[in-house]
Amino acid sequence: MKNFLQPRIIMLASLICLGLVFFFPLWQITLEAAQFPGGLQLHIWINKVSGSEKNIVQNVNILNHYIGMQAIHPESIPELKYFPIITYFMLGFGVLTIWLNKTWAYLSWFILMAVLGTLGIYDFYLWLYDYGHNLDPMAPIKIEGMSFMPPLFGEKDLLNFYVKSYPHWGGVFLGLSIIISGLAFWRKRRAVPKEKASYLSTN
Amino acid sequence: MNMKNRMQFGFWMLFLIAFTISCDQKDSTKVVEGNAAEQAYVAPGEYDEYYAFLSGGYSGQITAYGLPSGRLLKEIPVFSQYPENGYGYSEETKPMFNTSYGFVPWDDSHHIELSQTKGEFDGRWLFVNGNNTPRIARIDLSTFETVEILEIPDVAGLHCAPFITENSEYLVSGTRFSIPIPQKDVPIDTYKENFKGLINYVSVDPEHGHMELAFQIEMPGFNYDLARNGKAVSHGWSFLTTYNSEQAHSLLEVNASQKDKDLMAIINWKKAEEYMKQGKFTERQTSYFHNLVDESTGIVESKERTLTKILDPKELPGMVYFIPVPKSPHGCDVDPTGEYIVGNGKLSADMSVYSFSKLMKAIEDENFDGDIDGIPVINYEAGLHGIVKKPGLGPLHTEFDGRGNAYTTFFISSEVVKWDVETKEILDRQPTFYSPGHLMIPGGETRKPDGKYLLAMNKITKDRYLPTGPELAHSAQLFDISGDKMKLILDFPTKGEPHYAQGIKADKVQPNAVKFYDIEANEHPYATLGEGKTKVERDGNEVHVYMTAMRSHLAPDNIEGFQVGDKVYFHVTNLEQDWDVPHGFAIQGATNAELLVMPGQTRTLVWEPKKVGVYAFYCTDFCSALHQEMSGYARVSAKGSDVPLKWGLNEELRNNQQAAHKFYDEAKASADASK
């Protein structure tokens, strides 16, 4: 049992969680309306946008063009290209951390990942804001004073749609990865003898 | 009779008529009892338990209903042009109607068969016959669209079709009217020496469903009416009833009804297959058409075939037998075990039930009463399981519930009668309103019937619904047959004249439903895969418009440069990739029809403008909130006018590609010069 609480093994668990973001969507936005039984699900991944059906992006774009929202073109969203690279970097750094097995390395990884995660959510918020507010003045349907920004986290009425926005499994794993890496740092720090710890604090 | 007596007599007659009518009405309402409405009720948003496919008779089509609600789901166009969606009018679907007689835009569709695997419905395809211009069509049950039509050569009135074998090996059909083969100019009264009948075996490709005429058996010149194939123990055999064994050629209602018995043909098709393999057929030159949808383009390819292979029972023993059946039978039906074959002697008071094992024994013992044209006639008693005594008048069609019971419609006495196949005992009878032809129990012709409901299809409705002038709807009546007594639970009008139907559990069909066509798989030569690729091209007086449809605009929507006398092809590609988003296309002055284009599909409408002017075109299917805006204009100039070909969408009209290139080249040249 004790072995499982070794910082290296905990850090490995954190990296596995991070690696899982390539297999599950980070976020899910669901659009519900009477004529869309089961709703339309948009899945935001680390490297792509997909959904409950193959052509979800085209179908959402068709609906959005009536209110003048820009079309979602995943190929023109740069984040979908460099986010995976950052993730690979963090995975590499994580492996290095396990190899070094130093308290400072665990702490650095934890802080860096937490900052990157927060920045990622802020970036996602900016995209949602832009989609919701930057509307074509020639739109067929214009509603005075109305913006169409989906919620970052939560639920909201947007015209005929009821929109729900929550993290998907990938987002959950990303959060877990950060928390677990914090745990690894904490275990490492406790495992280091007192004098070494003071050595760390003076360096 | 004095005056007083006359009045009295008249009074009593009136009383009698009134009494009779009131009794009748009482009868027709009395039969619906208890929770009938509840049994047929399918709540809004819920699905029916069964699909029922009803033939359309003279409509040439098929209708799909849900059971037990009786809700009409779709009319599937098959043998008749259908301006509603452009079937038979669009360039892609016109070749579906090609026959050796040319373009035949109508037929009389009678009998429906679902594809089977191991004696059960597999929910893949639906087959139906065209009676007047002998044809068999295949409908794909993933799209509910007609995908293939095969003409059958040298037959007349393909009524006896298309009866399927238990693994969909063959579709068996027979000629209703015998004719000279090959056709020739002979006096009609030389019927007996010149007229022949053919029984046809069409093979079905087990993977793709493609049909092919495998062989034809040359038979004496009778009228081959209806058929069934053996199953389980009797698999490998076909049973076909004939009428007019009198070989009459005029006033058949009298002259073909003289003999006490007509004949049932019994065919060993496994034997026929052996003879085919041994090459014991003769080849004959003829002409018939095979029309098949190419799945990658959606275009029907039509090919003429010129060769048919004939087997002659006179020279090939052990392949065909006859057995007598009571007067002018209308079909025979094989029970789920395959052992009993019911002959429906339309004009007889009794029904003959044959035993397959007795028939086989009679053949083995050569218990024959002579032969007809070299075909042995089995002794009637030797093949008989027994006779159902006086079940009703005018037995037409029998199906089974899988619990040992048979259900037969009686046209003349207007009723459905339930009887025990083994004991031949009559168990129940219920009136129908009025005069039923066929009946259907889901799976009732297979090894495993689903004996919950029975649908009787009535020819006459008279007072059953609000009147609609001289022409009235035919009807279907749904009975609950799960108990000892049949119970009428629903009565609904039908389209055309359903002659037969098939019912199948919805869960065998529903999971395969195609929601839209994958645009990436669209290989139509005139497909426009993206708005950026729309264009208009002229080739002499032919103009091709590569158009796209997407909520809520057609692209291009302004086109100039058409001329009077042009033949304009609008190739419309629906770019949508979502369920239930068809777009329509209609243009004023088109003398054909409109198009309904399914998502991912390309369809072509020809338009030949006759007058100078500007003509509107628009989407006909209410696709979205901006549907009414989904429209455009086509400008037609005089022949030889110098108005250039231009097209566009929400921008300056673009010249054709060549001009666009010229503009680009000029711009580039001036930029280079300024350097």
Side-chain angles (χ1 to χ4, degrees):
Chain A
M1 186 63 206
K2 212 170 175 190
N3 283 345
F4 287 105
L5 294 175
Q6 277 189 8
R8 282 179 148 168
I9 288 171
I10 298 172
M11 192 62 205
L12 183 66
S14 166
L15 294 187
I16 289 169
C17 283
L18 183 61
L20 287 173
V21 302
F22 289 100
F23 300 96
F24 297 96
L26 293 168
W27 222 266
Q28 172 168 305
I29 298 176
T30 304
L31 307 166
E32 290 178 353
Q35 62 271 57
F36 296 93
L40 295 169
Q41 276 98 32
L42 262 180
H43 292 153
I44 294 99
W45 297 63
I46 192 84
N47 54 0
K48 64 180 175 186
V49 181
S50 72
S52 46
E53 49 190 85
K54 193 181 156 205
N55 308 289
I56 191 78
V57 175
Q58 175 180 330
N59 293 335
V60 168
N61 283 343
I62 289 172
L63 297 172
N64 286 351
H65 98 275
Y66 292 117
I67 49 171
M69 282 172 84
Q70 309 160 67
I72 302 167
H73 292 301
E75 63 279 5
S76 65
I77 299 174
E79 282 86 338
L80 297 176
K81 295 200 177 64
Y82 67 74
F83 275 9
I85 296 168
I86 293 173
T87 310
Y88 290 133
F89 169 77
M90 287 308 291
L91 285 171
F93 181 16
V95 171
L96 190 69
T97 303
I98 291 172
W99 183 63
L100 291 171
N101 196 22
K102 298 283 184 204
T103 315
W104 63 264
Y106 287 109
L107 182 63
S108 313
W109 200 94
F110 165 66
I111 291 171
L112 189 55
M113 196 66 234
V115 169
L116 285 172
T118 313
L119 283 176
I121 289 173
Y122 180 63
D123 183 68
F124 180 46
Y125 171 83
L126 290 180
W127 274 105
L128 292 178
Y129 186 91
D130 187 49
Y131 277 121
H133 291 82
N134 185 6
L135 303 174
D136 183 348
M138 295 282 283
I141 299 170
K142 272 181 283 195
I143 293 162
E144 208 57 47
M146 174 116 185
S147 77
F148 299 100
M149 183 181 164
L152 179 66
F153 185 95
E155 307 181 4
K156 190 176 170 187
D157 272 312
L158 285 177
L159 291 187
N160 60 322
F161 283 102
Y162 184 66
V163 182
K164 297 175 177 172
S165 174
Y166 292 108
H168 204 281
W169 285 113
V172 172
F173 286 125
L174 181 62
L176 275 177
S177 171
I178 296 169
I179 293 166
I180 293 171
S181 73
L183 187 71
F185 159 68
W186 180 67
R187 290 290 307 173
K188 180 68 194 169
R189 201 176 152 183
R190 274 191 47 174
V192 176
K194 280 267 160 59
E195 62 273 23
K196 284 259 179 107
S198 64
Y199 167 81
L200 177 80
S201 63
T202 54
N203 286 272
Chain B
M1 231 186 266
N2 62 29
M3 189 64 176
K4 197 182 163 194
N5 282 351
R6 248 186 238 170
M7 277 181 69
Q8 249 180 5
F9 177 76
F11 173 78
W12 281 109
M13 280 306 289
L14 272 175
F15 179 79
L16 201 68
I17 291 165
F19 180 75
T20 317
I21 290 170
S22 70
C23 277
D24 275 348
Q25 282 174 343
K26 225 180 239 168
D27 276 347
S28 75
T29 49
K30 208 175 68 184
V31 288
V32 181
E33 289 169 340
N35 61 346
E38 207 177 286
Q39 280 182 277
Y41 182 72
V42 176
E46 282 180 14
Y47 295 135
D48 278 289
E49 194 181 348
Y50 296 92
Y51 280 103
F53 299 99
L54 279 63
S55 73
Y58 42 68
S59 84
Q61 321 291 45
I62 289 175
T63 44
Y65 287 85
L67 291 183
S69 74
R71 296 187 289 206
L72 176 62
L73 305 173
K74 187 185 179 183
E75 180 167 34
I76 306 168
V78 185
F79 290 117
S80 295
Q81 278 180 297
Y82 203 60
E84 179 178 322
N85 68 3
Y87 175 74
Y89 293 96
S90 69
E91 293 305 294
E92 290 79 9
T93 56
K94 269 157 61 177
M96 201 54 117
F97 293 84
N98 286 351
T99 73
S100 59
Y101 301 90
F103 184 90
V104 181
W106 167 87
D107 218 310
D108 182 15
S109 64
H110 274 240
H111 309 114
I112 289 181
E113 288 281 68
L114 280 162
S115 55
Q116 292 187 23
T117 304
K118 292 179 184 156
E120 286 184 65
F121 292 151
D122 57 25
R124 301 166 78 193
W125 308 300
L126 199 58
F127 300 92
V128 64
N129 64 322
N131 207 350
N132 184 50
T133 307
R135 288 177 276 185
I136 297 175
R138 179 169 61 93
I139 289 96
D140 186 330
L141 284 184
S142 66
T143 57
F144 283 56
E145 285 185 8
T146 304
V147 290
E148 187 177 9
I149 291 182
L150 176 69
E151 190 183 356
I152 308 293
D154 307 317
V155 294
L158 197 74
H159 181 269
C160 179
F163 297 96
I164 202 158
T165 56
E166 73 171 19
N167 290 304
S168 307
E169 294 98 336
Y170 292 105
L171 298 163
V172 180
S173 62
T175 192
R176 173 174 166 197
F177 308 111
S178 284
I179 46 169
I181 303 174
Q183 275 290 14
K184 58 188 168 194
D185 178 12
V186 294
I188 296 168
D189 64 11
T190 61
Y191 187 110
K192 283 182 187 170
E193 64 252 46
N194 282 322
F195 287 40
K196 294 272 173 220
L198 284 173
I199 292 172
N200 322 290
Y201 280 76
V202 169
S203 62
V204 178
D205 174 76
E207 196 184 340
H208 300 104
H210 297 173
M211 299 184 286
E212 201 180 323
L213 181 60
F215 55 90
Q216 297 180 294
I217 300 175
E218 194 168 290
M219 298 287 287
F222 304 148
N223 293 24
Y224 297 85
D225 195 25
L226 281 167
R228 279 295 185 206
N229 290 290
K231 48 180 143 313
V233 291
S234 51
H235 181 56
W237 293 76
S238 305
F239 309 93
L240 301 90
T241 52
T242 72
Y243 64 103
N244 193 22
S245 54
E246 295 86 350
Q247 298 196 302
H249 52 81
S250 185
L251 195 64
L252 264 64
E253 66 169 307
V254 174
N255 294 327
S257 308
Q258 294 308 303
K259 283 192 186 165
D260 177 42
K261 293 202 169 54
D262 285 285
L263 296 161
M264 179 161 82
I266 301 172
I267 295 173
N268 183 347
W269 60 258
K270 294 263 186 193
K271 192 87 187 166
E273 272 184 340
E274 280 173 33
Y275 286 137
M276 284 302 294
K277 270 191 203 130
Q278 293 162 14
K280 293 194 173 166
F281 54 84
T282 53
E283 287 186 339
R284 199 177 50 236
Q285 288 294 319
T286 184
S287 170
Y288 62 104
F289 275 71
H290 183 218
N291 312 322
L292 178 67
V293 172
D294 178 328
E295 278 178 29
S296 59
T297 60
I299 299 172
V300 177
E301 284 177 22
S302 183
K303 283 181 187 148
E304 190 188 7
R305 311 239 179 239
T306 53
L307 206 65
T308 170
K309 293 168 181 170
I310 310 284
L311 292 173
D312 185 352
K314 279 197 291 286
E315 288 155 20
L316 304 170
M319 183 171 72
V320 183
Y321 302 91
F322 279 128
I323 189 164
V325 197
K327 292 186 95 141
S328 303
H330 193 67
C332 51
D333 295 287
V334 182
D335 90 314
T337 65
E339 168 63 15
Y340 298 115
I341 302 121
V342 180
N344 303 304
K346 187 174 67 190
L347 305 181
S348 163
D350 300 329
M351 282 168 71
S352 308
V353 183
Y354 302 88
S355 153
F356 180 72
S357 47
K358 284 188 179 174
L359 287 170
M360 290 302 106
K361 181 145 195 325
I363 289 169
E364 202 182 313
D365 299 346
E366 298 193 355
N367 192 349
F368 302 140
D369 289 343
D371 70 280
I372 296 173
D373 285 0
I375 298 169
V377 181
I378 300 168
N379 175 281
Y380 175 61
E381 270 79 27
L384 203 63
H385 161 61
I387 289 173
V388 186
K389 291 274 183 205
K390 304 211 172 358
L393 288 173
L396 279 195
H397 181 213
T398 303
E399 289 219 334
F400 307 89
D401 64 4
R403 297 184 294 266
N405 304 309
Y407 300 78
T408 305
T409 45
F410 290 84
F411 180 79
I412 298 171
S413 53
S414 193
E415 59 190 335
V416 178
V417 174
K418 176 183 179 181
W419 51 280
D420 186 299
V421 179
E422 192 62 48
T423 64
K424 287 116 26 201
E425 187 190 337
I426 289 162
L427 303 171
D428 186 28
R429 57 176 72 239
Q430 292 294 334
T432 62
F433 309 94
Y434 307 94
S435 302
H438 284 264
L439 54 76
M440 178 277 278
I441 293 169
E445 64 144 304
T446 68
R447 279 204 207 183
K448 286 200 181 139
D450 207 337
K452 192 168 173 185
Y453 299 113
L454 180 156
L455 193 72
M457 282 153 275
N458 301 307
K459 305 288 185 193
I460 293 167
T461 52
K462 281 206 170 109
D463 59 342
R464 296 297 290 177
Y465 306 114
L466 290 173
T468 54
E471 192 189 359
L472 301 172
H474 290 237
S475 80
Q477 288 186 298
L478 187 70
F479 291 86
D480 171 7
I481 56 164
S482 55
D484 286 342
K485 299 284 171 194
M486 297 177 277
K487 202 168 104 184
L488 180 63
I489 56 173
L490 186 70
D491 177 326
F492 59 94
T494 52
K495 290 203 81 175
E497 181 186 342
H499 286 266
Y500 184 42
Q502 296 254 275
I504 181 170
K505 266 266 168 93
D507 58 20
K508 283 192 178 174
V509 175
Q510 195 183 352
N512 308 328
V514 168
K515 293 186 172 176
F516 52 84
Y517 296 97
D518 183 0
I519 190 117
E520 284 162 24
N522 182 336
E523 289 175 20
H524 191 294
Y526 291 96
T528 312
L529 305 179
E531 260 172 35
K533 291 173 184 159
T534 54
K535 60 184 173 180
V536 183
E537 283 178 350
R538 174 181 285 283
D539 177 15
N541 74 328
E542 267 190 19
V543 184
H544 291 270
V545 181
Y546 294 71
M547 184 179 273
T548 62
M550 179 128 140
R551 279 165 289 169
S552 304
H553 55 269
L554 294 156
D557 65 357
N558 281 198
I559 310 169
E560 297 192 347
F562 295 128
Q563 295 181 6
V564 171
D566 277 350
K567 189 171 186 185
V568 182
Y569 292 81
F570 285 99
H571 307 285
V572 185
T573 300
N574 182 345
L575 294 177
E576 307 275 357
Q577 289 287 275
D578 202 355
W579 199 15
D580 201 11
V581 199
H583 288 296
F585 178 81
I587 183 162
Q588 191 173 357
T591 54
N592 34 26
E594 66 144 343
L595 295 174
L596 275 191
V597 191
M598 296 304 126
Q601 203 178 40
T602 302
R603 285 278 183 256
T604 303
L605 192 75
V606 168
W607 178 60
E608 293 174 277
K610 303 275 191 307
K611 283 185 272 187
V612 163
V614 178
Y615 299 94
F617 53 82
Y618 68 100
C619 169
T620 54
D621 188 315
F622 209 108
C623 55
S624 62
L626 279 297
H627 158 76
Q628 205 68 352
E629 284 72 12
M630 193 166 174
S631 59
Y633 286 111
R635 176 182 169 189
V636 178
S637 307
K639 194 165 181 63
S641 151
D642 58 2
V643 175
L645 204 58
K646 294 175 177 178
W647 64 93
L649 169 73
N650 194 28
E651 57 189 301
E652 293 273 312
L653 292 187
R654 242 184 335 228
N655 277 310
N656 60 32
Q657 298 287 331
Q658 216 179 343
H661 285 144
K662 199 174 151 215
F663 170 80
Y664 172 78
D665 292 344
E666 280 169 5
K668 192 165 177 287
S670 70
D672 289 346
S674 67
K675 264 185 199 162

